[in-house]
Structures are given as C-alpha cells and as structure tokens.
C-alpha cells in the first residue's frame, strides 16, 4: 500500500509496489507543483500532495528529498504525528496513566479528536496493528506508514487485512486522519467515521 517514490527533477515518479491484475507494477507521475508540502524529519520522511495523499521516502534518501524541495520551492512543514499518538498503545512499550493522558490531550489539541474519537479509531485498527506489531515488535514508534503496510501485508491473517476492494477508501481515511490539525484536513470527528466516508 506504500508505493515507491522516485524524485525525478520536477516531478515524482510513483510506482505502486503491488502489481496490477495485468501483472505489471503501475507507475504515475506527479508534478512538483502538485506537492503541497513535505516533512523530511518525519519518520519516515513524508511528501504530501495537494490532493491529500501522503507519500513516504526512505530515511536514507532524506537529503535527496531536501534537495528536491529546495530546487522545486516546496515548503517544508511538520505536522502533528496523529497516527503515532493513535497507535502508541500497540507498540511493545508500557505507558503510565500520565503519559496516556498527555497523549489524549495532544490528540485533542492538535487534531480535534476527543476520547470517544480516539477509542473508535483504535478499536477499528487495533486488531490489524496488534497482528502487525506481533511480528515487528516495534517499541519505539508506529505511524501512518506502518498502518498502511499492515493493511496489505500478506503475512497478516486474511481476516484482519483490508480487503482489496476497500484499500483505496482505507488509505484515504487514514490520510485524512493524519492531516487533522494541519490546517488542510477536516477537523474533529468528521474523519473518524468508517473509511468509506
């Protein structure tokens, strides 16, 4: 679900990692003028398009992303790590009640998500992310990139994976939530609903 992104002069070349029904990987181009902003310091580094898509670049290509942004005058803007906070309970680390409370406060202030919103999102993705992290055993950080990987990983039990017909809607839903509080996504619980909404 996370495509390969090549930075090519004044455009991004995006190759879907999963082959199509015809057997070939699909590639598309996005002009640099359609890139809204980037965050090379995110984990992994992020590119956000004007259409709301989040793309990821491997950390070892951070310098290449920074040069691409400088040449193409693409703004560098951090955003709150909403999915990092939402997925925190599924990492291999225990958190104190004070820490959990601080996370909920941050989600409310930065993204407009109240405790019910947070509980609903975590209930929706919890089984999937638990299965994913049972293998990865990440104790440091789980975020949007991990969630999108988990949604299609072939080693995740089939009943937990996102069905192929639902993947585009799930990806859009997850990206809308990632953008909450950034001034571009919807505010509050509107993005919390079912992925097809």
């Amino acid at each position: 679900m996370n495509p390969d992104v090549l930075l090519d002069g004044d455009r991004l070349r995006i190759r879907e990692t999963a082959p199509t029904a015809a057997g070939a990987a699909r590639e598309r181009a996005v002009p640099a003028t359609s890139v809204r902003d980037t965050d090379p310091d995110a984990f992994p580094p992020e590119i956000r398009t004007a259409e709301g898509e989040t793309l990821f670049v491997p950390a070892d290509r951070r310098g290449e992303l920074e040069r691409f942004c400088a040449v193409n005058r693409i703004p560098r803007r951090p955003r709150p790590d909403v999915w990092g906070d939402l997925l925190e309970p599924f990492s291999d680390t225990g958190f104190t009640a004070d820490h959990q409370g601080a996370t909920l406060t941050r989600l409310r202030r930065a993204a407009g998500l109240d405790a019910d919103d947070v509980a609903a999102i975590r209930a929706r993705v919890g089984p999937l992310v638990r299965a994913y992290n049972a293998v990865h055993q990440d104790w440091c950080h789980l975020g949007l990139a991990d969630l999108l990987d988990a949604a299609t990983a072939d080693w995740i039990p089939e009943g937990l994976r996102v069905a192929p017909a639902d993947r585009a809607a799930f990806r859009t839903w997850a990206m809308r939530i990632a953008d909450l509080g950034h001034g571009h996504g919807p505010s509050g619980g509107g993005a919390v609903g079912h992925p097809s909404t």
Side-chain angles (χ1 to χ4, degrees):
M1 220 168 179
N2 287 327
D4 292 328
V5 178
L6 301 171
L7 307 170
D8 187 11
D10 63 351
R11 64 186 175 140
L12 306 172
R13 287 182 22 232
I14 302 164
R15 171 173 260 164
E16 302 297 335
T17 53
T20 64
R26 187 172 63 106
E27 187 171 301
R28 60 190 164 101
V30 174
T33 55
S34 293
V35 175
R36 183 184 79 202
D37 54 45
T38 66
D39 185 1
D41 295 325
F43 187 76
E46 296 181 355
I47 298 169
R48 280 85 62 137
T49 70
E51 292 78 29
E53 183 178 17
T54 301
L55 301 164
F56 303 99
V57 175
D60 63 354
R61 292 178 43 216
R62 178 177 284 119
E64 182 184 348
L65 175 59
E66 289 173 336
R67 287 187 296 280
F68 178 81
C69 292
V71 167
N72 292 289
R73 297 181 179 187
I74 297 169
R76 180 179 180 148
R77 289 194 184 109
R79 68 178 175 186
D81 188 1
V82 176
W83 278 109
D85 284 338
L86 287 168
L87 300 181
E88 189 177 76
F90 309 112
S91 67
D92 273 355
T93 302
F95 297 101
T96 65
D98 287 345
H99 183 97
Q100 293 172 36
T103 298
L104 287 174
T105 298
R106 196 167 44 249
L107 284 166
R108 186 181 71 249
R109 287 183 182 159
L113 296 172
D114 64 24
D116 290 340
D117 294 332
V118 171
I121 293 168
R122 287 176 174 167
R124 165 80 173 98
V125 300
L128 173 67
V129 177
R130 276 190 201 90
Y132 177 82
N133 212 33
V135 172
H136 281 276
Q137 300 178 353
D138 194 322
W139 54 268
C140 184
H141 179 269
L142 294 167
L144 176 61
D146 299 297
L147 177 64
L148 297 177
D149 281 342
T152 57
D154 59 7
W155 47 267
I156 297 280
E158 188 173 347
L160 298 177
R161 273 183 267 156
V162 176
D166 299 330
R167 289 179 183 167
F170 182 86
R171 192 168 202 271
T172 298
W173 172 78
M175 289 182 188
R176 274 198 334 241
I177 289 173
D179 230 12
L180 292 174
H182 190 60
H184 297 282
S187 61
V192 175
H194 188 274
S196 63
T197 61

